[in-house]
Amino acid sequence: MGRLTWSTPALSAATPTKLSAVRNPGRRLVHSRSVPDERFEEHLQHPAGRGHAPAGAHAGAAGGAVCGDLVKVVVAVRGATVIDAGFDASGCGAALAAGSAVVELVRGASLLDAARVGAGAVSAALGGLSPGKLHAADLAADALHRALGAAAAADAQLAPAAGRTLVAMSGGVDSAVAAVLAGAGGAEVVAVTLELWRDPENDAESSCCSASAVRAARAVAHRLGLPHLTLDLRDAFRAGVVEPWLAGHAQGLTPNPCVGCNGHVRLDAMVDLADRLGAATLATGHYARRAPDGLLRTAADPAKDQTYMLAALSRATLARLRFPLGELTKPEVRALAREQELPVAAKPDSQDLCFLAGTGRERFLARHGGLHERPGDVVDRTGRVLGRHRGHFNFTVGQRRGLGVHAPEPLYVVRTDARSNTVTVGPREDLGVRRVALRGVRLHRDAASVDAVKLRYRAAPVPCRLQDGAVVLDAPFAAPAPGQTAVFLAGDVIVGSATITG
Ligand SMILES: Nc1ncnc2c1ncn2[C@@H]1O[C@H](COP(=O)(O)OP(=O)(O)OP(=O)(O)O)[C@@H](O)[C@H]1O
């Protein structure tokens, strides 16, 4: 594949003087001289829209106590246009000038032009900031994008365009390549990143949910010439994903937050935004495919297949989704990223739950769920005490590591009991089960069509049949964990899901 060219919409005639800054969004123009540019001075002396708060505007802020500089931007969107904007800034002069530059760049611009404004454009509008002052452009761009995302989600209404696609960009290599492929046929691509988690003590800052990851995703999108919007879903994510995950651990379950997150938090919000932007489809970097009847089909690369995580999506949501990576392997995706010279081509894959990045599970449970150390017994099936543990919630069925028990044969967690705070262990043969109890069975086809079930994200499907709210397996499966999702297959098509209860 050669270098792809982009079909980006023409910038509006209302913003001719902004063209060069916005067209070159990914580049940072750095002046080596110490004398400020006259454009910088002009913004400093006569800031545009300082203290202005238009009616119906949405606000976004960045900076604050830690860095001493604070920029707040407000924007009002109507239809497809940023009809008005204002700002406030405290701290250094560069923060003030950057806030003013943002207002000038976006006021009267189309929403999608405004969504192309990044720190590079802000710096360029100020004649190029020295390295020490670029921070102010970053803050102003962060504040702008927080405001713009909120305004777009609430007030934007672009005319529907069949060839417009919204791409969910996490800042990783998969979604960057998905964006490239989504635009390869000439489609008009708009990018969105969700801010899902921000910890006051800054853990998970490196994860795909965090504020710094949002900034990185924006940089990738802007480098591709794409408008980029940010949606702040932190409240919905905490209430709908993190809190149930913490509550599940307290009850001795092993919840699967990603299935619910995709199912009713992040994809729904992005489909709503796609509607507002007049985008017919939402593309993601998941490894998944679609069956002819619209249901999910496993990815061509079984090692990367992510349909398990998407199994709880409604048919209506599925109908809007596109998976440009579904026929590719990961090495092929990385090769495409290198070919397109994407800066994220070598970025490592995410390993754990996004909100746990930078923090261990045990520490997270203690800090956010109040599940502090609670010593209890490790017992065998006869009740004989073999050792001590630091809380049942730190263990999951099938776990082998970290038991702190010395035995002649490897031992695994067979059961955890929240009420007695005991962890029962046994040899591997104790783990196998042939019948798995379920709740909340949801099927898109007849129960009779189910021929296999996946009982864990990375487990191979097991041949089975569905019977009386349970799944009966043709071969024993080691350690289905209560709280995890069971995903039903008919051949390679995902036909439903349920939650494992025992
Ligand atoms: N914070 C986010 N904002 C927007 N989209 C996201 C976000 N996190 C994940 N996605 C979307 O969901 C897809 C799968 O997410 P997952 O967390 O599994 O990432 P991944 O496989 O590491 O992909 P990537 O390399 O794109 O980060 C991503 O490719 C992206 O399209």
Side-chain angles (χ1 to χ4, degrees), residues 168-170 172-175 192-194 208 266 284-286 306 350:
M169 290 188 76
S170 63
V173 62
D174 291 336
S175 48
V192 60
T193 302
L194 308 175
C208 65
R266 60 184 192 178
T284 76
H286 288 103
Q306 289 179 302
S350 40

Side-chain angles (χ1 to χ4, degrees), residues 87-463:
F87 86 102
D88 252 318
S90 56
C92 69
L96 180 74
S100 168
V102 158
V103 168
E104 273 209 353
L105 284 165
V106 304
R107 205 184 248 171
S110 81
L111 173 66
L112 297 184
D113 284 354
R116 286 195 182 83
V117 172
V122 176
S123 171
L126 295 170
L129 290 175
S130 61
K133 290 181 176 153
L134 275 173
H135 170 64
D138 277 327
L139 289 185
D142 284 352
L144 166 68
H145 281 269
R146 291 200 172 114
L148 208 55
D155 300 325
Q157 203 58 69
L158 276 65
R164 187 177 298 142
T165 297
L166 184 64
V167 180
M169 290 188 76
S170 63
V173 62
D174 291 336
S175 48
V177 171
V180 170
L181 295 176
E188 180 192 337
V189 177
V190 181
V192 60
T193 302
L194 308 175
E195 188 175 352
L196 298 170
W197 184 254
R198 202 188 306 158
D199 188 280
E201 290 181 38
N202 211 28
D203 61 7
E205 265 306 288
S206 59
S207 91
C208 65
C209 311
S210 71
S212 57
V214 169
R215 189 186 277 176
R218 189 168 69 227
V220 178
H222 282 168
R223 202 183 156 106
L224 291 170
L226 305 179
H228 180 269
L229 290 164
T230 304
L231 290 186
D232 181 350
L233 289 193
R234 285 175 296 158
D235 290 346
F237 185 74
R238 176 173 261 284
V241 178
V242 177
E243 297 290 354
W245 184 83
L246 293 167
H249 276 80
Q251 292 163 32
L253 302 174
T254 308
N256 196 319
C258 303
V259 175
C261 180
N262 282 326
H264 57 260
V265 179
R266 60 184 192 178
L267 290 175
D268 285 359
M270 291 192 282
V271 168
D272 286 350
L273 181 67
D275 288 339
R276 291 211 162 263
L277 299 179
T281 53
L282 170 68
T284 76
H286 288 103
Y287 289 79
R289 293 182 290 185
R290 307 273 305 281
D293 66 355
L295 291 180
L296 272 177
R297 190 176 153 225
T298 54
D301 181 356
K304 285 301 293 180
D305 176 51
Q306 289 179 302
T307 48
Y308 181 92
M309 297 301 191
L310 299 168
L313 295 182
S314 69
R315 259 189 185 266
T317 302
L318 275 178
R320 301 290 296 279
L321 291 185
R322 298 293 178 270
F323 305 112
L325 308 188
E327 300 290 347
L328 301 174
T329 63
K330 185 77 187 210
E332 286 169 340
V333 167
R334 287 210 186 270
L336 274 172
R338 283 194 298 274
E339 206 175 296
Q340 300 300 316
E341 296 172 15
L342 299 180
V344 289
K347 189 170 174 177
D349 290 353
S350 40
Q351 295 299 331
D352 207 340
L353 300 175
C354 66
F355 53 87
L356 291 185
T359 279
R361 183 174 303 243
E362 198 169 331
R363 203 171 130 231
F364 190 96
L365 288 171
R367 267 179 59 191
H368 298 282
L371 297 174
H372 298 285
E373 185 170 334
R374 186 179 154 211
D377 289 336
V378 178
V379 300
D380 68 12
R381 283 221 190 245
T382 67
R384 188 163 56 100
V385 176
L386 304 179
R388 299 282 287 165
H389 64 73
R390 294 205 300 269
H392 70 87
F393 36 79
N394 295 315
F395 297 86
T396 182
V397 174
Q399 180 172 335
R400 184 183 155 189
R401 292 184 167 182
L403 301 183
V405 171
H406 296 289
E409 58 179 344
L411 293 176
Y412 300 80
V413 175
V414 178
R415 196 171 51 242
T416 64
D417 185 340
R419 230 175 312 160
S420 62
N421 190 29
T422 50
V423 173
T424 306
V425 299
R428 189 168 170 77
E429 46 284 13
D430 284 5
L431 294 176
V433 298
R434 277 186 178 267
R435 188 176 184 283
V436 181
L438 306 168
R439 71 171 165 79
V441 177
R442 284 182 55 196
L443 286 170
H444 299 298
R445 288 189 192 165
D446 282 351
S449 70
V450 174
D451 57 26
V453 64
K454 265 184 96 158
L455 294 164
R456 214 181 294 127
Y457 179 34
R458 287 290 167 218
V462 186

Side-chain angles (χ1 to χ4, degrees), residues 68-107:
D69 297 324
L70 177 70
V71 182
K72 183 177 164 197
V73 172
V74 292
V75 292
V77 167
R78 191 176 308 145
T81 308
V82 178
I83 55 167
D84 205 352
F87 86 102
D88 252 318
S90 56
C92 69
L96 180 74
S100 168
V102 158
V103 168
E104 273 209 353
L105 284 165
V106 304
R107 205 184 248 171

